[in-house]
Amino acid sequence: MMRGRWRIILMLIMVTSVLITPMPIKAAASQQQAADIQQVLRENKVNGIVLIDGHVHNPRVISNQTSDDPRLVVKADRLFPIASFQKLMTGIAIERLVEQGKLSLATPLSRYWPSIPHGHQISIQRLMMHTSGLTNQEPPLNRPLGGEKEQEHYLLRHYRSSGHFTWNYADIDFSILAMIIRTASRRSYRGFLNQQILRPAGMQVKSYQQVRPGQVTRSGDDWGQLQTAMSKELGAGDVFCTPQDYWRFYHRAFLEQPHLLRRFIAKHGPAGKETYFGGTYIEPPYLHANGYLSGYSCTLYCNYRTKQTIMLFANNLSYSQLRSLSGQLYHAYFGDYREEQSQINY
């Protein structure tokens, strides 16, 4: 009888250990995976780099350069305009303010700017999910905006609030979130971002005002036009970052923060449906993001359970080429096909 009890106890211990043991990190990418990724880059004539592998801080870099001009070479340690990749930084900063009790996802926009139409119905969560009904109305600029206060003034003069709270991808949602970070933290957006999110992750970003042309991977477009375009993207694409630093940020400030990651994943919708929250598309077990601005493009896919991640940074693609290429890279790395959803469903 005692032997039977001990046998049952041992079986329970074994089952419990299996349930609580973390999923092992997938091994580094195989030579075949790397070769398949290289072939995708070559066939699509991509001038850029891909960063791959799992839970590591020094990713494997696969390079495919189509230009002999050293100014156009994309490198892992060279500044790159990350465009909408910045939105995750803004989303995480908002979550930090929620943790600190300075706001909640239910806080209405009218608390900060009561003059914005429908602001009492636009919550921070709706901004984080691109369901605010806000859209950008941006007239041409002939010079870069002169910093966060001028960016804020410009954005508050050029927007539309429809009152329709369905999915609509608009950069102004994250610009408004950056402005809320300024107000709630009582410091600059970039100051809060650097102190609370980026420095602890061992990396940094530079604003469009802080860099010179020679420090940045070029795309062939006019430098002044790039700075001007970036200046209209407060919180949504107004910073430069090296690909390697973005990799560090993604892992250290996001994937390695289980409580934060769980809060993001909790926002996902029905099985098989993609949702969006805080700067990332969520379709368990995958996360996805794109960035595109003035000829610069980036995309990433990540399995948040295994931490396997693939990131692309390129400077010679159109947005439609980026969308097509991202699916090919996903297949080359993860080994299965994924159909891009044309809109978010939830």
Side-chain angles (χ1 to χ4, degrees):
M1 187 69 177
M2 290 296 293
R3 288 181 180 177
R5 288 181 179 177
W6 277 111
R7 190 176 293 114
I8 293 171
I9 291 170
L10 286 172
M11 289 177 65
L12 288 172
I13 291 172
M14 291 173 65
V15 170
T16 303
S17 67
V18 169
L19 290 175
I20 66 174
T21 299
M23 180 176 290
I25 300 302
K26 188 177 177 182
S30 68
Q31 289 297 327
Q32 185 60 55
Q33 285 173 293
D36 290 346
I37 292 167
Q38 186 77 64
Q39 183 176 350
V40 169
L41 297 178
R42 190 163 48 245
E43 289 179 348
N44 287 274
K45 298 180 174 60
V46 175
N47 193 80
I49 59 173
V50 164
L51 279 57
I52 57 171
D53 279 345
H55 192 201
V56 293
H57 298 312
N58 293 303
R60 182 175 183 177
V61 179
I62 300 173
S63 177
N64 191 78
Q65 307 296 329
T66 62
S67 174
D68 295 328
D69 187 339
R71 297 173 300 175
L72 302 180
V73 174
V74 182
K75 296 183 179 180
D77 60 354
R78 193 173 186 186
L79 290 173
F80 192 97
I82 58 172
S84 291
F85 268 18
Q86 183 184 352
K87 289 175 182 171
L88 180 60
M89 295 177 174
T90 303
I92 292 175
I94 286 289
E95 286 286 342
R96 182 60 52 83
L97 288 170
V98 171
E99 289 175 1
Q100 295 172 355
K102 295 180 179 178
L103 48 81
S104 78
L105 293 179
T107 300
L109 182 54
S110 57
R111 172 187 292 186
Y112 304 101
W113 293 281
S115 62
I116 293 180
H118 313 291
H120 64 291
Q121 296 174 279
I122 301 173
S123 65
I124 288 177
Q125 175 150 321
R126 280 183 167 163
L127 292 167
M128 294 272 272
M129 299 181 75
H130 283 310
T131 58
S132 69
L134 297 172
T135 54
N136 297 75
Q137 303 286 313
E138 298 178 345
L141 286 173
N142 55 17
R143 62 168 181 83
L145 297 168
E148 290 185 19
K149 289 184 178 180
E150 192 172 350
Q151 287 175 292
E152 181 175 320
H153 183 65
Y154 173 85
L155 289 162
L156 287 175
R157 286 186 297 127
H158 302 109
Y159 71 91
R160 180 173 176 269
S161 181
S162 69
H164 302 298
F165 307 117
T166 55
W167 162 258
N168 180 53
Y169 190 91
D171 290 342
I172 193 168
D173 287 330
F174 281 76
S175 295
I176 294 289
L177 289 170
M179 291 156 53
I180 290 172
I181 291 167
R182 277 173 50 86
T183 304
S185 68
R186 298 185 178 180
R187 59 182 309 172
S188 71
Y189 160 76
R190 276 184 288 275
F192 182 85
L193 187 68
N194 279 320
Q195 182 191 57
Q196 297 286 321
I197 311 298
L198 303 183
R199 286 177 191 155
M203 53 84 66
Q204 62 179 342
V205 298
K206 291 184 178 294
S207 79
Y208 63 92
Q209 298 174 298
Q210 295 176 307
V211 298
R212 300 185 302 276
Q215 297 175 291
V216 178
T217 295
R218 300 295 295 276
S219 73
D221 289 349
D222 179 79
W223 174 250
Q225 290 179 346
L226 174 63
Q227 284 189 307
T228 300
M230 290 179 69
S231 74
K232 295 188 288 184
E233 303 294 336
L234 174 65
D238 67 334
V239 298
F240 294 91
C241 177
T242 70
Q244 187 165 318
D245 264 356
Y246 195 82
W247 180 278
R248 291 192 185 104
F249 155 75
Y250 198 78
H251 281 79
R252 294 176 180 174
F254 189 42
L255 295 182
E256 292 181 10
Q257 306 299 321
H259 298 293
L260 174 66
L261 187 59
R262 277 197 293 270
R263 290 202 301 273
F264 272 67
I265 301 307
K267 305 299 188 298
H268 78 79
K273 299 295 184 180
E274 186 178 72
T275 57
Y276 184 99
F277 180 79
T280 187
Y281 296 90
I282 306 166
E283 188 179 352
Y286 294 105
L287 303 170
H288 172 52
N290 286 324
Y292 188 84
L293 180 67
S294 299
Y296 296 90
S297 54
C298 39
T299 190
L300 74 82
Y301 287 98
C302 171
N303 183 323
Y304 59 78
R305 293 175 183 162
T306 65
K307 306 297 191 293
Q308 291 299 107
T309 309
I310 180 169
M311 295 183 184
L312 165 79
F313 297 84
N315 62 355
N316 69 331
L317 303 175
S318 67
Y319 184 68
S320 61
Q321 288 173 318
L322 172 67
R323 290 292 297 268
S324 172
L325 181 66
S326 65
Q328 296 176 55
L329 290 173
Y330 174 91
H331 172 63
Y333 187 56
F334 291 107
D336 57 355
Y337 288 96
R338 180 183 188 277
E339 183 178 347
E340 283 286 337
Q341 298 195 32
S342 59
Q343 63 181 12
I344 302 299
N345 300 290
Y346 54 87

